[in-house]
Amino acid sequence: MSTMSIEKREQIEAHSREARRKKKWNNFLHMVGNHSLLITLSVIFIMPLYLVIVLSLMSKGQAETRSLWPHPFIWHNYVEVFTAVPFLKWTLNTLFVSVMGTIGTVVSSVPPAYVLSRLQWKGRHTTFLVLLSTMMLPGQVTMIPVYIIFSRLHWIPSFLPLIVPSFFSSAFSIFLLRQFFTSIPDEISDAARIDGCSEFKLMMRIVVPLAKPAIAAIALFAFLGSWNDFFGPLLYIVENQDLWTLGIGLNAFQGIHHVDKNMMMTASALFMAPVIIIFFFSQKVFIEGVTLTGVKG
Amino acid sequence: MSQARVVASSPFKKKGELAPPRKKLKTPWLFILGCMSPWLFGIIFFTAYPMVSSFYQSFTKFNLIESPKWVGLENFHRMFFEDSDFWQALKNTVWISAISIPLRIAFAMFTAWVLTKPKRGSSFYRTIFFLPSMVPAVAATMAFTYIFNPAYGPINRMLEAIGIKEPPFWFLDPKWSKWGLILLGLWGIGDTMIIFLAGLLDVPTSLYEAASLEGATSWQSFRYITLPLMTPVIFFSTVTGVIGSFQYFTQAYVASGQVHDYSHSMYFYATHIYFSAFRAYEMGYASALAWVLLVITLLCTLVILKTQKRWVHYPNGSLFK
């Protein structure tokens, strides 16, 4: 009797061991499957960037031979690009426009977002709805009259049309900040108000420090929005070569005398580099920003 | 901070909802006006006035030098009956939206779904998948036109190596150029993917567990659990996709410049507006084009909104009821 039960128990244990091993094996197979799929996709996503870098290090002759590996490595391309075209000037122009645009967006978007989320007032809902609907409005509808305003002001070509509008709030940034501000508990504000804190102080000293991640997100989106912008510069600065940004300059690359394909890729790589570096240091901010609003700036 | 979290998750105040009315404080109107003023000025000078103005201009002939001349509906007549470029641009735009919007949604869903699978390392892959969407459009387009070039680009060499005998000429072939742009768009899927990923991670795992206990295959649990719960995200991406595709400009403009697109295979609606306004300086005609664009986008959005009752499932009731 007792031997039977022992035998049976052993049998059961052997079974379950077998099952566990099978499960482990299955899990392992799944893991291998998943990761090979993920690695394949990663290779596809990285491939264009890899090719840009590889091509940017080739000689002019080799860049036109469909080869996949530089031989020899021409590191000098990265020096030459600064002398072949006014690359430094383009970079500084782009940087200037982007930094000013970022400052403008942050300074002019925090206060509206604050009063739209932290204060009760009549007309707040309507204002917010108007704001949301302007986010959906295609830019082409307002583009021409805005262009005419700037041309009447004799601001074309100059950086002003690219910078000044950002000081008049961005609906997207207000929306993102508002989403974040509403999640800060009202009790904090109430306590400060009872202590006689003014609304302005409350905004600057209490809400803004608490909302640093959201402000970082709109600053990043604004910066990248200007850095990557092509249409604005195309309208407003294309006539004056001294004002060219990287996007405009790069697009005109082919037409510029003595510039070769490999150099084009060198310049592209340098144009992408800051964005990629910024992204690696701040991807959490980005991903949260995208998730919070459902759109990229 | 812990207190903040408790309050934020209390049942009275959900995220995105307005705070409940509290005891009346005196409304600081001056402060509110001061804070809203940048936005107010912006909306007056960069939205409201321009809209009125461009609406008026759409009924005029206006070349920026002389003052606008009223021509009634002539611009619209010209658009629909005389301007073959308009039809070409519209056809191209509709074609690329019809293909790329569903493809983008499917690809975003697929990449996001793959990212939910591994127990470890998914943030590493997420970084890689997201990265291309950050790359400046001009640089990305230049890179694509170059590496897809049939003569010296490495992509076709790779395709030949895996056995594709005559790979397409991509941007150089009017039949394939739009596919080049679609691939470029799919490469930069990252931001859409993140929204899908957030949606997928919101699906309660208990549903999948229940389904697997009932013996559902993974296709079934995708079809009957994931897909219905993802419909709000799909709906949102469709709407933004339609709005976006009528403003699709930079990639097409840069690519056509790089390869000299004489056949206008990459000539889209936004390109047509740009050329009418800033190359031909026909501001009145371009304004008319812009208003037709607004009407088309609104109509498309409306149609999608109307159909949403049939296919969009909101777990807590519809947002637009």
Side-chain angles (χ1 to χ4, degrees), chain A residues 45 63 66 125 182 294 296, chain B residues 13 18 133 146 157 187 195:
Chain A
F45 276 113
R66 311 174 100 193
H125 282 272
T182 25
K296 196 177 71 179
Chain B
K13 194 154 170 267
L18 298 173
S133 72
Y146 185 47
R157 180 179 166 186
W187 184 58
I195 305 165

Side-chain angles (χ1 to χ4, degrees), chain B residues 128-289:
Chain B
I128 290 178
F129 294 3
F130 189 70
L131 189 60
S133 72
M134 295 280 103
V135 171
V138 176
T141 312
M142 296 219 342
F144 264 62
T145 51
Y146 185 47
I147 63 179
F148 277 87
N149 186 297
Y152 45 75
I155 294 285
N156 273 10
R157 180 179 166 186
M158 291 176 182
L159 291 176
E160 279 160 19
I162 60 168
I164 297 167
K165 287 235 174 58
E166 280 167 24
F169 278 19
W170 302 108
F171 293 97
L172 292 178
D173 179 352
K175 284 200 197 73
W176 279 91
S177 56
K178 286 191 210 61
W179 284 103
L181 291 175
I182 289 171
L183 286 180
L184 175 61
L186 288 177
W187 184 58
I189 199 74
D191 45 347
T192 318
M193 177 198 75
I194 293 294
I195 305 165
F196 276 83
L197 184 61
L200 285 177
L201 294 175
D202 271 350
V203 179
T205 41
S206 59
L207 291 178
Y208 293 123
E209 279 157 16
S212 85
L213 281 178
E214 300 280 335
T217 62
S218 49
W219 165 249
Q220 280 170 329
S221 59
F222 174 79
R223 171 66 188 82
Y224 296 104
I225 299 172
T226 318
L227 203 57
L229 287 173
M230 290 300 282
T231 47
V233 182
I234 296 174
F235 167 73
F236 175 81
S237 326
T238 315
V239 173
T240 52
V242 169
I243 296 175
S245 67
F246 274 88
Q247 298 174 54
Y248 186 65
F249 178 80
T250 302
Q251 287 88 339
Y253 179 86
V254 173
S256 356
Q258 295 297 320
V259 300
H260 307 293
D261 181 37
Y262 296 118
S263 60
H264 273 195
S265 69
M266 292 186 280
Y267 193 80
F268 296 101
Y269 201 99
T271 331
H272 192 43
I273 296 184
Y274 171 76
F275 275 94
S276 306
F278 300 106
R279 293 291 172 88
Y281 287 103
E282 295 183 298
M283 297 299 182
Y285 185 59
S287 301
L289 283 170

Side-chain angles (χ1 to χ4, degrees), chain A residues 200-259:
Chain A
F200 182 73
K201 243 186 178 168
L202 188 61
M203 172 171 83
M204 298 309 291
R205 296 271 170 83
I206 294 170
V207 174
V208 165
L210 282 173
K212 264 187 206 143
I215 293 172
I218 63 156
L220 272 172
F221 284 131
F223 183 83
L224 286 171
S226 314
W227 185 270
N228 295 354
D229 186 24
F230 177 71
F231 194 66
L234 183 66
L235 291 194
Y236 296 123
I237 56 160
V238 95
E239 293 154 43
N240 185 348
Q241 290 211 14
D242 287 336
L243 302 178
W244 278 10
T245 55
L246 281 168
I248 298 293
L250 217 62
N251 185 50
F253 224 84
Q254 265 199 335
I256 298 173
H257 205 47
H258 290 316
V259 171

Side-chain angles (χ1 to χ4, degrees), chain A residues 35 38 42 45 63 66 68 115 125 131 141 145 148 169 178 182 190 228 254 261 264 275 279 283 294 296, chain B residues 13 18 22 36 39 50 54 62 114 125 127 130 133-134 136 142 146 151-152 154 157 187 195 236 258:
Chain A
H35 281 273
L38 282 160
S42 303
F45 276 113
R66 311 174 100 193
L68 297 173
V115 296
H125 282 272
L131 183 114
V141 178
I148 293 168
S169 305
R178 181 199 167 269
T182 25
D190 289 346
N228 295 354
Q254 265 199 335
K261 298 272 176 202
M264 209 161 96
V275 177
F279 174 65
Q283 57 160 316
K296 196 177 71 179
Chain B
K13 194 154 170 267
L18 298 173
R22 285 169 297 126
M36 292 306 289
W39 179 75
S54 84
F62 181 31
V114 174
Y125 295 115
T127 306
F130 189 70
S133 72
M134 295 280 103
M142 296 219 342
Y146 185 47
Y152 45 75
R157 180 179 166 186
W187 184 58
I195 305 165
F236 175 81
Q258 295 297 320

Side-chain angles (χ1 to χ4, degrees), chain A residues 6-55:
Chain A
I6 285 167
E7 252 171 40
K8 208 168 189 176
R9 204 184 297 155
E10 266 175 4
Q11 221 173 0
I12 290 167
E13 262 171 24
H15 260 290
S16 71
R17 228 178 300 141
E18 179 77 4
R20 241 178 293 147
R21 226 184 37 217
K22 215 170 173 184
K23 203 172 165 209
K24 239 184 180 168
W25 177 241
N26 268 341
N27 280 346
F28 176 72
L29 281 184
H30 262 132
M31 197 192 76
V32 172
N34 287 335
H35 281 273
S36 38
L37 191 56
L38 282 160
I39 289 166
T40 315
L41 281 169
S42 303
V43 169
I44 293 172
F45 276 113
I46 285 294
M47 186 58 74
L49 293 177
Y50 164 80
L51 290 174
V52 168
I53 292 166
V54 162
L55 289 164

